[in-house]
Amino acid sequence: LRKLEDAKNQRSIDQQLVRQRDDLQQRAPRSRMMAKKTVKVTITSDLMCPWCWVGLRKLEEASKLSNVATDIEWKPFFLRPGTPYEGVPKGGTPASRVGGHLKAAGAAVGIDFTGKTDRTPNTELFHAVMHKLSGPAQTKFQEEAFANYFTRGIFPDKHGLIDAARRAGLADVVQAVLDDPNELDALRRETIKEANEAAAKGITAVPTFAFNGQPAFSGARDAREIARFLERAASA
């Protein structure tokens, strides 16, 4: 009787294992279908463009709404080429440098535009450093440079860029670039070339977005609209 009982229990265990295996096999295709896809997003931008920071935050929200991951690449643009390296005084007060519309748009995505930075910068140095970086490091540095310039009131000269790099965990890399005049000069020339190429392609405003290499739009559009661009790119 004990042998019969043991055999019955073993058959019951075997049947449970078969059911579990079949259930996993049925779920596997659904899991693969639900896997998050990744879209390459190219953002042409300039550090002094506040809407570029707003646009980044809206892209991040759109990624969550669409369940589509983003691989972000930043490209240079110069809103005010030829600006002196020491910058140009803005005048006014911090409050007067930030319009109500921009202040509200920033607050809606967690950005505090303070108007504390009192000079308009030449952004060649910033773009040269960005050109050296790649992948998530680019966006980390970009975000901290935005925060320094627009919120903390830190001008993006060498000291300001090193501060942004430190906050992004990239101090050693950025310091090495800034300490090498030959590499820095080469990076500057390359970013100017890329910015000129962007202008030749008809880019006149930033941020400008492209998805998987396909030009899409300029401006910090609504996150739901950006989500639709991500979904279309992911399904193409």
Side-chain angles (χ1 to χ4, degrees):
L1 287 175
R2 180 173 295 174
K3 288 182 179 180
L4 289 173
E5 186 71 23
D6 290 343
K8 186 183 294 184
N9 289 337
Q10 186 61 49
R11 283 197 300 274
S12 178
I13 292 171
D14 290 343
Q15 289 171 352
Q16 289 178 7
L17 291 173
V18 169
R19 284 195 296 271
Q20 290 175 358
R21 182 200 64 195
D22 292 343
D23 184 52
L24 288 172
Q25 288 176 344
Q26 290 175 0
R27 290 183 182 182
R30 290 198 297 270
S31 297
R32 285 194 290 269
M33 289 174 62
M34 293 172 64
K36 183 180 286 191
K37 293 186 177 181
T38 300
V39 168
K40 177 69 173 289
V41 182
T42 303
I43 307 175
T44 302
S45 165
D46 196 7
L47 175 61
M48 69 172 69
C49 166
W51 296 104
C52 294
W53 195 9
V54 174
L56 171 62
R57 290 290 177 87
K58 289 191 174 185
L59 174 65
E60 292 168 344
E61 183 182 351
S63 177
K64 295 175 183 177
L65 290 173
S66 62
N67 195 38
V68 176
T70 58
D71 176 14
I72 302 174
E73 178 185 33
W74 295 85
K75 292 293 186 180
F77 192 85
F78 296 105
L79 285 171
R80 294 190 180 181
T83 298
Y85 290 124
E86 67 274 16
V88 175
K90 293 182 178 181
T93 65
S96 69
R97 295 176 195 137
V98 183
H101 179 55
L102 177 60
K103 189 78 172 177
V109 292
I111 295 172
D112 181 15
F113 289 109
T114 65
K116 289 181 179 179
T117 302
D118 60 1
R119 285 177 288 160
T120 297
N122 179 306
T123 55
E124 284 182 16
L125 198 61
F126 162 76
H127 285 301
V129 172
M130 284 287 284
H131 194 73
K132 178 69 174 181
L133 304 174
S134 62
Q138 257 199 332
T139 300
K140 287 180 181 178
F141 179 69
Q142 175 81 66
E143 180 94 35
E144 292 299 342
F146 274 147
N148 271 3
Y149 181 61
F150 288 116
T151 300
R152 302 179 187 120
I154 300 175
F155 186 76
D157 55 12
K158 285 189 177 183
H159 297 294
L161 294 178
I162 290 171
D163 181 84
R166 178 183 57 78
R167 295 173 188 271
L170 299 164
D172 291 344
V173 175
V174 173
Q175 184 74 65
V177 171
L178 296 176
D179 286 345
D180 185 338
N182 292 327
E183 183 177 22
L184 191 57
D185 186 55
L187 290 169
R188 268 182 167 147
R189 289 197 303 270
E190 187 62 31
T191 57
I192 291 171
K193 177 184 174 184
E194 284 194 358
N196 289 337
E197 289 172 351
K201 291 176 182 177
I203 295 177
T204 58
V206 288
T208 293
F209 290 82
F211 299 91
N212 287 339
Q214 297 300 310
F217 61 85
S218 293
R221 296 198 182 183
D222 182 82
R224 289 166 296 184
E225 185 176 355
I226 300 175
R228 289 193 288 271
F229 278 97
L230 288 174
E231 289 165 354
R232 285 197 290 270
S235 61

